[in-house]
Amino acid sequence: MQKNIKKVGGRRRYSVDELRNMVRGAIAQLRTPSTPEHPLESWQRQQAAQSQISQALEFGRRDLLIPVRDAFEKWAEETQAEHDINSQRMGSRAENLGILPERIEPNTLEAELSRSLDILSKKDTLLQKILVQITEYREAIESGDFDIALNKIEEIEREHGVSYFSIEAKLSHVYEKFGTDELKKTARTLALHGRSLQRFFIYNFGVRNEPSQGAARFKINIKRRIESSAINQNLQAYCRFRLYGDITTTSRGVALIIAYDQYTTKIDLYFTLLRACTHILANSPAFSSAEIEAAKKTINFLQFTPSLTLERICEGALRRVLRISPAVVESNTESFITIGIASFLSTHGDGLASEDFEKAQLNRSRCLEFYGIEDAGTSQNLPALALSCLMEDVQPFSTSKSVNQILKSRLSAALESTSDDLQASEAVRALSRAKKFHRAGQMGEAIECLRSALPVETKNSVADMLLVCVAHLQLESDDREGALRTIAAAGVANERIIPILPLDNLFQNTRWKVLAEYNAKSELAICLDFYVRNSGDRKFRSYKRYSVEDLMESNGATQLSELVKPLHESGIQLELLEYFFHYVCDVYTIELLPNIGRSKAVMETRALLLRELAKLQTASDYLYIQEAQDIESQIELTDVLDVLDGSKVYVDERAITNAVNAELSADFQRYLRLVESGVGQSESLATVLQNLNSPTAKTFQIPDNEADNLFAEILSQIKEKFLFDPAAGLDIIIGRRIRHGTIASELRAPLERVGLIGQRPRVGAGYAPPDAALSITSKIDPKYKKYLFAAFARFSEAIDLQIAVLRDEMFHVTTKTKPRGIFELQLGIGALALSRSVAQSCVTIDNFSRECLSLFWYFLSLRLDTVKKTVESDLRKSLQSTFSKLVKELNSLSVNDELLAQVQQSSEELQRRAANIASWIRVPNMEADPRSYSMRQIVDVAVAVVCGQRAGFKPIVNAIVPDSMQLDAHGFSIVSDALYIAIDNISQRSGKKVDNKVNITISFDSQVSIINFLIENEITNNARTPEKIQQLERIRNNIRSKAFGDSARRDKGSGLSKLAAIVMQDRKACIDFDFTSKPGFYLKFDLVYVNSNPSTVALNGHDSLPAQEVGAL
Amino acid sequence: MSSTVRALLIEDDDAKGQTVYGSLNREFSRLKILGDVTFAGSVQSAIEWLKRDSFDLIVADMSLPTFDVKNAESGGSPRPLGGLEVFDFLERLGLKVPVIVITSYPVISDGSTHMKFSELEATLSLDFPDIFIGSIYYDSTFTNWDEKLGHMLNNIFKA
């Protein structure tokens, strides 16, 4: 058999016998028995049979000669009729609707029109009958009787079967009558036995009726979903047509849609033919004369006489928008459409009428009145229409049936004749005169007559129309400054007309030296702002800034806010002034103005400017104040974040000195006595140094000098505490503030945000391709896919390796196990001599321990200054090399520029992050910080830090805090650490990253001087597992037995232990956590509030609380 | 031209800046020129230098931060085409200083527009024919950028 198979274009070609057998086979499927192993419902058999028959018919269409094909189709139809499958009806069985051949290749448009006429003419009697029913249905709608309309649809379904026409009509009437819930229920019922495409259609017919679904949004969403599906391009085009009426102006596109509906139902074919033919006639220039003739012939056959004339509707819409008394309307539908088109013409209004119109176009595809006006939404608005009538010679009468062309012709006709009805409008009369002046080259007169017609009230489309025309005429007559002023005023009054103002003509290819000559600087800046918004031209953004700078200079202003008063006094229109300061002077512009120099000054300048603007008491002053307040809060938050960033390398000095004082006080006093008794100095400091650096080596030796030996021991212990105290030492705090997620987030978060970095599902597994790689797989040659994924896997691994080096090797105190640790405190002979002399000048251990810590910081800083530069430089180089490799690999795979640009932007971002990471390497200066911090600020900071680090974590935080509570820098440091750990724990463990409701309650118990923290959050169901419950129990036991030290030193997965290390420094404080039934999680912990001046404490509604220290002391 | 060649090196990446600086000094000495190189790490600092000083040569990166990045200053808005702002500023002041662009990116994106290296070169040649000398694709793993820089300097100062 195989060798007899004929192929056409690489595809198999079927003979008529084979196709008959396919149909017979399909019929036989109806008798397939239902068995317990393979249960089959009757509708499933029907669907299988229909699918195979549709496929056979499409093959016949493609492969058979016309007479043979006709005979085959006739035979197939009769055979189906014998077995009660669709073909004799105008509609279809519900379960068989939407069963289409896999792929349809249309013939020419003429051929498809002709074939469709054949199909329908064979059912002429039924067609006539259903047309009567459809007319009755339309009359019911027109009279607003949706009950009768719905009954009529059900009658049509009973007699003829279902169709897309009936389903779409039914759903829209169900919604109109019963609302959204019933609509969804009906859609679900109708889709019950449908195949996947059918279910997709019906579901979305329902969605597009929902009141919350905007027409434009619906189209965008559906288009994206269809395009991302695996179905072929031809079927995609049909889906777009079926779901939102998308129809192209190519012959093949129209032919394709018609061809598909030859396989749905004859009712739908009827409506699609009407739609296609009106579309062809409305867009006649895009089609051949033969196609236009075929469309006319088809419309005649379909007996379609529109009840409304487009000319009449367009006339009505123009009258409406020109504010001329409306013509008498004949029907509800005519009124609805007229208002809809008028809303597209209007440049004002809330857009509700146009949205209603577009939605009706979507949902009333069965309303023939909407046929032929599909392009109404793309028609020009009144100012654009008037401008083209003024500047061009528009044919007063057009053969085109497009809405825009009819509107344009109608308005143009009105300008040419003084007796035209539309000349009832003063604006139209002015336009008419201006057109005559324009033709005669009398530009001044033309402008003047338009200006004189400007209405007093300018917030309307008529005023917009006149201003747009004036601006164009001014520019044509080379009055560029005049045009600037008109454009600025018109655009500020109504931003919708900015696209039709002559900005391109004004600015395109113009250099600054030309613009610098204009006197109207504020109007120039405003116009440049409009131009940048439209064109995105970077150069003009600079020009905009230059014009602001020139204005400042000419008004003697050194700060932007100083410009408000002189500009206001210069008499510039208030609206323009507001636009200038609010929109033109945006952050991007302010940044490079003179005397700015840093980011904080930008924000301060903007806030000050807005406050000055608010003083003018315009209608928007409260908005300006609100924005200024937001900026000021942001400045405060940024300040505090900077403090936090500057103290990542930190030691809780008070905790250390307290511990040292308690442990070493007696030793220190003994040392002082030894010094007094004359045994204070050894011969060689080298010996002391040796004792200091290797204390164990000297354990069993008799000391040469007892005082120095004791001194070395004291110093060694202080150093040990400074570096390694398990709660307050340098290494544990670096672990908490830098190693615990911070480095990883700093480098990974920006890449995760744009989907450039993959993740490993488990340790040792390969990297999953990131979103950016997945999104372009369809755009590259499939054989390169694995290379693309491999390139991203290598990139991801390199970044993670870099993180690991920083986290596991570099950001550590140098020890034998961490030889690459960058925090190395080596005390040489000089340091020793210095500290010994300091010790001998101190009276108490408290003095000495404080002095020691200062010395330690000093000696540490000497090294860190060098290390910082090396770390930054190495990190930058390493990142640059990693990105460079990725770019080279992507280039070799010919990926698109968009992805390469994204990689480049991320590379820059990571270079900045490298600088940021290096900036953490510095000794803190917290003790010198005289500021106090409110508890609310600290909560905000902790949330901001976690959200900044954890890509995608967006909780809803509700914080109840004692508003008057203020903490000093030390307290701030401890509380922000604790809150950071707690909130980060939520981001990592709750399983709910978005909209997780986090309640933070902070209260102060003045009786015991304890601040209580309660943090509750939501978790996903799978966040609570038996393993996690066990793990929590283990942590709890460790905390009870105070065995959390080792866990707290770990850099990953140790949040609660780290928190316990902070909290459990005082026996009054406790920590508790568990899952709740919601499902949720709570975490309670305490921090001791150390009040140095109890008499002034006033909390909970009292006046104020002085800045105090917090800690577990 | 003054006896000492004053160059403004606009570069936010210290490592790259130092490499280019070394290369500039080598070339100056090869050309027997006394060179004096000033660093600017952002668009803002470049503009400030241009306002208060005069230069005989500018070597600029294309992608720059608004402000110099340092402690408590993250650099403001990133300006992927910040180098072009320097060209705009020179044009505004009417300064005819030769500019060489050195960038590490094959494609530069300014939000909505993506510009390939070759397109950037064409745009600069068209918009600033009097001052734009040429652009160099910088890749620290190769030395051809260095040669290209030497060639351009040779053309400027031996001409």
Side-chain angles (χ1 to χ4, degrees):
Chain A
M1 287 293 286
Q2 285 297 309
K3 62 183 170 189
N4 293 330
I5 292 170
K6 292 174 188 168
K7 288 193 170 178
V8 177
R11 286 185 311 203
R12 184 176 174 188
R13 183 173 175 169
Y14 290 87
S15 69
V16 68
D17 287 340
E18 286 173 313
L19 295 175
R20 280 175 189 245
N21 285 339
M22 273 179 84
V23 174
R24 289 187 188 105
I27 302 291
Q29 289 196 40
L30 292 174
R31 295 190 291 273
T32 307
S34 178
T35 62
E37 293 79 25
H38 300 286
L40 273 177
E41 299 283 347
S42 147
W43 57 269
Q44 288 172 309
R45 295 192 192 102
Q46 283 280 346
Q47 282 182 347
Q50 181 69 63
S51 173
Q52 194 163 322
I53 291 168
S54 294
Q55 195 61 64
L57 289 169
E58 173 57 16
F59 288 151
R61 223 167 75 94
R62 192 189 67 192
D63 296 343
L64 303 180
L65 294 172
I66 291 174
V68 184
R69 184 197 70 192
D70 287 349
F72 164 66
E73 284 178 353
K74 187 165 184 295
W75 171 84
E77 193 176 314
E78 286 164 5
T79 308
Q80 288 177 77
E82 283 169 25
H83 296 88
D84 194 25
I85 306 178
N86 282 341
S87 66
Q88 293 295 335
R89 311 171 82 190
M90 292 295 283
S92 160
R93 283 172 173 272
E95 60 267 29
N96 285 13
L97 188 62
I99 297 177
L100 301 169
E102 267 176 34
R103 187 182 185 87
I104 288 181
E105 283 303 332
N107 284 318
T108 63
L109 179 55
E110 285 170 78
E112 293 300 347
L113 285 171
S114 161
R115 181 171 151 74
S116 301
L117 277 188
D118 275 355
I119 292 171
L120 290 182
S121 59
K122 284 175 193 162
K123 302 283 175 219
D124 194 41
T125 315
L126 281 173
L127 181 64
Q128 295 308 323
K129 185 170 185 198
I130 202 168
L131 287 181
V132 172
Q133 288 167 310
I134 287 171
T135 306
E136 288 164 3
Y137 162 72
R138 285 170 58 195
E139 284 166 2
I141 292 182
E142 188 57 47
S143 61
D145 196 334
F146 296 125
D147 280 343
I148 293 178
L150 194 54
N151 288 341
K152 210 53 161 166
I153 287 296
E154 283 168 353
E155 179 189 313
I156 291 170
E157 284 193 340
R158 274 195 305 276
E159 282 186 36
H160 305 280
V162 301
S163 57
Y164 287 126
F165 156 76
S166 70
I167 290 175
E168 291 182 57
K170 188 185 273 181
L171 284 173
S172 80
H173 294 313
V174 166
Y175 166 67
E176 281 153 359
K177 196 170 171 196
F178 303 107
T180 309
D181 288 347
E182 195 60 28
L183 166 75
K184 288 185 142 337
K185 206 166 125 192
T186 309
R188 270 200 301 276
T189 310
L190 289 171
L192 200 59
H193 292 148
R195 281 205 163 178
S196 57
L197 189 62
Q198 175 75 338
R199 286 202 299 271
F200 177 64
F201 282 162
I202 294 179
Y203 170 76
N204 284 300
F205 293 156
V207 169
R208 73 185 190 193
N209 274 288
E210 288 174 27
S212 56
Q213 182 67 61
R217 191 83 208 128
F218 175 80
K219 288 179 191 175
I220 291 167
N221 286 341
I222 287 293
K223 186 168 186 278
R224 197 176 52 232
R225 285 193 64 183
I226 291 172
E227 283 173 355
S228 62
S229 73
I231 57 177
N232 64 65
Q233 297 289 319
N234 288 359
L235 189 51
Q236 285 191 9
Y238 178 70
C239 290
R240 287 196 293 272
F241 168 73
R242 183 49 62 203
L243 283 166
Y244 60 90
D246 185 36
I247 186 163
T248 67
T249 44
T250 65
S251 302
R252 187 182 179 279
V254 180
L256 182 73
I257 286 159
I258 296 169
Y260 266 104
D261 267 331
Q262 288 165 9
Y263 290 96
T264 55
T265 69
K266 292 167 188 73
I267 301 174
D268 293 310
L269 180 60
Y270 168 81
F271 281 102
T272 298
L273 275 180
L274 273 183
R275 173 77 209 281
C277 291
T278 49
H279 178 74
I280 293 166
L281 297 178
N283 297 279
S284 48
F287 296 92
S288 71
S289 52
E291 288 164 344
I292 293 165
E293 281 311 307
K296 283 180 182 166
K297 184 181 162 196
T298 307
I299 282 200
N300 282 341
F301 171 79
L302 299 175
Q303 304 162 21
F304 175 58
T305 316
S307 59
L308 307 173
T309 64
L310 266 182
E311 285 74 11
R312 192 179 146 82
I313 288 173
C314 290
E315 166 94 18
L318 278 170
R319 293 183 79 92
R320 244 188 124 77
V321 78
L322 286 166
R323 301 169 151 203
I324 306 171
S325 55
V328 178
V329 284
E330 287 185 346
S331 68
N332 290 335
T333 309
E334 181 181 345
S335 167
F336 179 81
I337 294 175
T338 305
I339 291 170
I341 292 180
S343 73
F344 290 119
L345 282 170
S346 169
T347 46
H348 281 268
D350 53 14
L352 287 177
S354 43
E355 172 59 25
D356 280 352
F357 180 82
E358 287 196 273
K359 200 135 188 197
Q361 273 193 320
L362 270 183
N363 291 316
R364 295 198 205 166
S365 57
R366 71 231 169 255
C367 279
L368 302 175
E369 289 77 5
F370 283 89
Y371 286 27
I373 53 169
E374 290 83 6
D375 64 339
T378 59
S379 56
Q380 292 172 298
N381 56 32
L382 181 69
L385 215 54
L387 183 67
S388 57
C389 291
L390 176 70
M391 308 297 257
E392 304 161 16
D393 277 329
V394 180
Q395 280 289 327
F397 302 101
S398 167
T399 50
S400 169
K401 292 285 176 192
S402 89
V403 174
N404 193 57
Q405 192 56 48
I406 293 170
L407 287 166
K408 203 163 156 182
S409 301
R410 179 67 194 88
L411 186 59
S412 195
L415 299 194
E416 299 298 337
S417 163
T418 48
S419 59
D420 192 283
D421 281 357
L422 295 183
Q423 291 244 356
S425 154
E426 189 190 342
V428 173
R429 291 198 301 276
L431 264 177
S432 176
R433 288 196 304 276
K435 182 161 180 140
K436 288 188 183 82
F437 285 127
H438 181 245
R439 273 186 189 143
Q442 294 171 278
M443 305 301 276
E445 287 79 357
I447 292 166
E448 189 43 46
C449 89
L450 290 175
R451 277 207 175 282
S452 63
L454 267 173
V456 180
E457 169 53 53
T458 55
K459 302 270 181 202
N460 55 65
S461 306
V462 173
D464 288 343
M465 170 181 84
L466 295 168
L467 283 173
V468 166
C469 294
V470 167
H472 279 267
L473 291 175
Q474 282 173 319
L475 202 60
E476 199 179 320
S477 59
D478 210 28
D479 176 11
R480 301 178 90 81
E481 293 231 13
L484 273 181
R485 292 179 206 278
T486 308
I487 293 169
V492 166
N494 184 7
E495 65 173 23
R496 283 195 226 175
I497 60 169
I498 292 173
I500 47 173
L501 290 165
L503 291 159
D504 282 349
N505 300 346
L506 190 60
F507 293 131
Q508 222 165 37
N509 300 321
T510 306
R511 306 301 277 247
W512 173 248
K513 66 178 178 191
V514 175
L515 301 180
E517 299 300 316
Y518 294 143
N519 292 317
K521 292 281 187 234
S522 46
E523 285 87 351
L524 172 64
I526 290 169
C527 291
L528 285 167
D529 186 76
F530 294 161
Y531 186 62
V532 171
R533 275 166 62 178
N534 270 5
S535 69
D537 194 326
R538 181 211 55 79
K539 187 190 285 278
F540 285 84
R541 208 177 280 150
S542 294
Y543 293 172
K544 179 176 84 166
R545 189 178 78 244
Y546 299 163
S547 57
V548 176
E549 278 183 34
D550 281 4
L551 254 178
M552 285 174 69
E553 201 181 315
S554 60
N555 283 280
T558 52
Q559 296 292 327
L560 200 50
S561 55
E562 292 168 12
L563 200 54
V564 178
K565 198 173 168 209
L567 279 194
H568 186 221
E569 286 170 358
S570 74
I572 183 172
Q573 194 188 331
L574 205 52
E575 265 190 322
L576 296 188
L577 197 70
E578 281 184 275
Y579 188 92
F580 176 81
F581 286 115
H582 193 228
Y583 294 103
V584 175
C585 299
D586 55 7
V587 166
Y588 202 82
T589 303
I590 294 172
E591 279 183 325
L592 285 178
L593 288 178
N595 307 320
I596 296 291
R598 61 201 177 100
S599 298
K600 189 176 174 185
V602 175
M603 304 305 278
E604 287 167 344
T605 301
R606 172 87 182 157
L608 190 58
L609 179 65
L610 290 165
R611 288 205 176 274
E612 285 297 312
L613 198 53
K615 287 180 190 165
L616 301 179
Q617 297 185 327
T618 64
S620 304
D621 57 2
Y622 73 99
L623 289 176
Y624 303 143
I625 289 171
Q626 179 66 50
E627 192 184 331
Q629 283 169 345
D630 289 348
I631 293 170
E632 284 152 3
S633 306
Q634 187 60 41
I635 293 171
E636 259 184 41
L637 185 65
T638 310
D639 273 356
V640 184
L641 284 169
D642 285 343
V643 170
L644 213 57
D645 255 4
S647 61
K648 285 210 178 328
V649 175
Y650 183 73
V651 163
D652 184 350
E653 293 188 15
R654 293 181 200 182
I656 299 284
T657 49
N658 282 346
V660 165
N661 295 350
E663 286 176 29
L664 299 177
S665 177
D667 285 350
F668 187 71
Q669 289 308 319
R670 182 168 164 253
Y671 169 71
L672 290 180
R673 280 195 297 276
L674 285 172
V675 171
E676 277 171 16
S677 66
V679 289
Q681 305 277 338
S682 65
E683 301 262 318
S684 159
L685 270 171
T687 314
V688 183
L689 191 64
Q690 197 182 356
N691 287 356
L692 179 71
N693 289 334
S694 311
T696 52
K698 288 282 169 184
T699 306
F700 301 106
Q701 292 179 19
I702 296 168
D704 292 340
N705 180 308
E706 205 177 342
D708 276 349
N709 196 54
L710 183 57
F711 171 72
E713 213 171 296
I714 292 170
L715 194 61
S716 166
Q717 284 192 45
I718 299 174
K719 183 183 160 195
E720 180 71 13
K721 285 221 169 289
F722 176 82
L723 295 177
F724 299 113
D725 183 274
L730 181 62
D731 196 60
I732 195 80
I733 292 181
I734 294 170
R736 207 153 65 207
R737 295 189 178 177
I738 298 180
R739 296 197 297 266
H740 184 86
T742 306
I743 290 179
S745 306
E746 195 69 15
L747 294 180
R748 258 189 160 270
L751 299 172
E752 283 174 357
R753 217 166 282 136
V754 291
L756 281 181
I757 194 165
Q759 284 180 319
R760 284 198 257 223
R762 60 187 179 281
V763 178
Y767 280 87
D771 290 347
L774 291 171
S775 69
I776 59 158
T777 47
S778 60
K779 293 170 192 157
I780 63 164
D781 192 330
K783 67 185 175 200
Y784 293 146
K785 197 168 119 183
K786 66 176 178 183
Y787 300 117
L788 176 75
F789 289 175
F792 273 102
R794 279 191 288 276
F795 172 75
S796 305
E797 188 169 18
I799 295 287
D800 280 347
L801 185 64
Q802 191 60 62
I803 292 167
V805 168
L806 290 168
R807 184 191 57 213
D808 302 338
E809 295 180 25
M810 301 179 84
F811 276 91
H812 284 267
V813 171
T814 318
T815 59
K816 279 182 185 165
T817 54
K818 297 289 177 192
R820 290 185 70 191
I822 55 176
F823 298 95
E824 185 177 17
L825 181 58
Q826 275 286 359
L827 298 178
I829 288 177
L832 197 60
L834 183 63
S835 50
R836 191 170 66 180
S837 98
V838 167
Q840 290 175 7
S841 68
C842 288
V843 182
T844 63
I845 183 70
D846 189 50
N847 295 144
F848 180 57
S849 58
R850 285 175 198 279
E851 294 292 343
C852 268
L853 298 195
S854 299
L855 284 172
F856 292 165
W857 282 127
Y858 170 71
F859 288 112
L860 200 57
S861 71
L862 296 180
R863 179 169 156 70
L864 290 184
D865 283 346
T866 320
V867 166
K868 178 180 175 172
K869 286 184 185 137
T870 317
V871 168
E872 180 175 349
S873 161
D874 289 353
L875 182 55
R876 276 176 178 266
K877 275 186 199 161
S878 167
L879 289 170
Q880 194 162 9
S881 157
T882 305
F883 274 95
S884 179
K885 277 182 200 154
L886 179 66
V887 167
K888 276 178 192 149
E889 293 193 84
L890 295 180
N891 268 327
S892 69
L893 296 171
S894 305
V895 303
N896 56 24
D897 287 352
E898 205 174 319
L899 179 61
L900 284 171
Q902 182 65 70
V903 171
Q904 170 245 318
Q905 279 175 345
S906 299
S907 172
E908 283 168 19
E909 173 68 27
L910 258 67
Q911 289 288 322
R912 281 192 289 278
R913 300 273 176 144
N916 197 34
I917 288 173
S919 76
W920 300 336
I921 307 170
R922 58 177 152 149
V923 299
N925 194 20
M926 292 287 279
E927 294 305 315
D929 182 359
R931 275 182 292 183
S932 61
Y933 301 86
S934 72
M935 194 59 96
R936 187 162 295 280
Q937 265 180 326
I938 302 172
V939 171
D940 289 348
V941 164
V943 173
V945 170
V946 178
C947 292
Q949 286 180 356
R950 304 291 185 192
F953 182 55
K954 290 173 188 156
I956 301 169
V957 178
N958 176 31
I960 301 168
V961 300
D963 282 333
S964 56
M965 190 168 220
Q966 296 279 321
L967 301 177
D968 67 2
H970 177 247
F972 159 66
S973 167
I974 291 172
V975 174
S976 63
D977 269 7
L979 283 171
Y980 166 77
I981 293 170
I983 297 165
D984 192 48
N985 208 42
I986 299 170
S987 82
Q988 295 298 292
R989 311 272 169 206
S990 67
K992 188 173 181 185
K993 293 209 164 198
V994 177
D995 293 346
N996 194 330
K997 289 190 183 116
V998 178
N999 292 321
I1000 300 175
T1001 311
I1002 301 173
S1003 56
F1004 177 59
D1005 184 343
S1006 58
Q1007 296 295 313
V1008 283
S1009 282
I1010 276 185
I1011 308 174
N1012 309 114
F1013 296 79
L1014 169 62
I1015 298 160
E1016 298 161 295
N1017 62 279
E1018 297 174 313
I1019 58 168
T1020 53
N1021 287 332
N1022 53 7
R1024 181 181 183 161
T1025 61
E1027 294 76 31
K1028 285 184 181 166
I1029 293 171
Q1030 272 182 7
Q1031 192 187 353
L1032 280 185
E1033 190 53 36
R1034 264 199 309 279
I1035 297 171
R1036 216 174 275 122
N1037 287 336
N1038 282 344
I1039 292 173
R1040 266 188 226 116
S1041 57
K1042 305 250 167 124
F1044 47 79
D1046 286 344
S1047 312
R1049 280 189 202 99
R1050 283 205 321 265
D1051 299 325
K1052 287 194 283 187
S1054 56
L1056 290 172
S1057 299
K1058 280 191 164 66
L1059 185 57
I1062 299 174
V1063 171
M1064 301 298 282
Q1065 292 177 68
D1066 190 286
R1067 62 189 167 76
K1068 279 195 291 183
C1070 62
I1071 179 168
D1072 182 24
F1073 43 83
D1074 208 343
F1075 290 110
T1076 61
S1077 53
K1078 271 184 185 176
F1081 188 82
Y1082 76 86
L1083 169 63
K1084 281 189 204 171
F1085 62 88
D1086 306 328
L1087 290 173
V1088 175
Y1089 186 85
V1090 180
N1091 181 9
S1092 58
N1093 188 5
S1095 62
T1096 60
V1097 172
L1099 202 68
N1100 295 340
H1102 295 76
D1103 295 331
S1104 66
L1105 191 70
Q1108 299 297 330
E1109 56 188 72
V1110 171
L1113 302 174
Chain B
M1 194 177 294
S2 53
S3 54
T4 301
V5 169
R6 297 215 58 207
L8 180 63
L9 175 53
I10 310 170
E11 175 58 66
D12 61 320
D13 178 343
D14 280 352
K16 183 180 156 198
Q18 287 302 331
T19 314
V20 177
Y21 173 74
S23 179
L24 275 174
N25 278 334
R26 271 196 310 280
E27 291 303 326
F28 284 150
S29 93
R30 188 176 61 76
L31 293 166
K32 299 188 175 33
I33 292 172
L34 195 57
D36 175 12
V37 181
T38 300
F39 277 92
S42 62
V43 176
Q44 190 264 347
S45 62
I47 287 175
E48 287 304 316
W49 275 113
L50 290 169
K51 273 184 190 169
R52 63 171 179 252
D53 236 323
S54 63
F55 292 91
D56 308 307
L57 170 71
I58 295 172
V59 178
D61 188 9
M62 191 43 62
S63 178
L64 293 163
T66 300
F67 306 116
D68 289 359
V69 177
K70 52 193 175 199
N71 286 347
E73 176 53 69
S74 61
S77 304
R79 294 179 185 250
L81 293 168
L84 290 181
E85 308 220 22
V86 175
F87 278 94
D88 292 341
F89 193 74
L90 291 171
E91 185 191 46
R92 184 184 180 197
L93 296 189
L95 297 173
K96 303 262 190 236
V97 186
V99 187
I100 297 170
V101 171
I102 301 191
T103 178
S104 326
Y105 298 111
V107 178
I108 298 174
S109 169
D110 186 15
S112 55
T113 51
H114 312 306
M115 208 185 270
K116 284 189 175 154
F117 183 76
S118 54
E119 291 167 340
L120 173 72
E121 202 158 39
T123 303
L124 288 169
S125 302
L126 195 69
D127 284 356
F128 306 99
D130 296 344
I131 54 174
F132 174 60
I133 302 300
S135 56
I136 297 170
Y137 179 62
Y138 173 88
D139 185 337
S140 58
T141 51
F142 299 103
T143 55
N144 53 353
W145 68 269
D146 195 23
E147 290 158 19
K148 204 170 171 188
L149 178 63
H151 186 68
M152 286 180 187
L153 292 176
N154 199 50
N155 283 347
I156 299 169
F157 296 110
K158 286 293 176 189

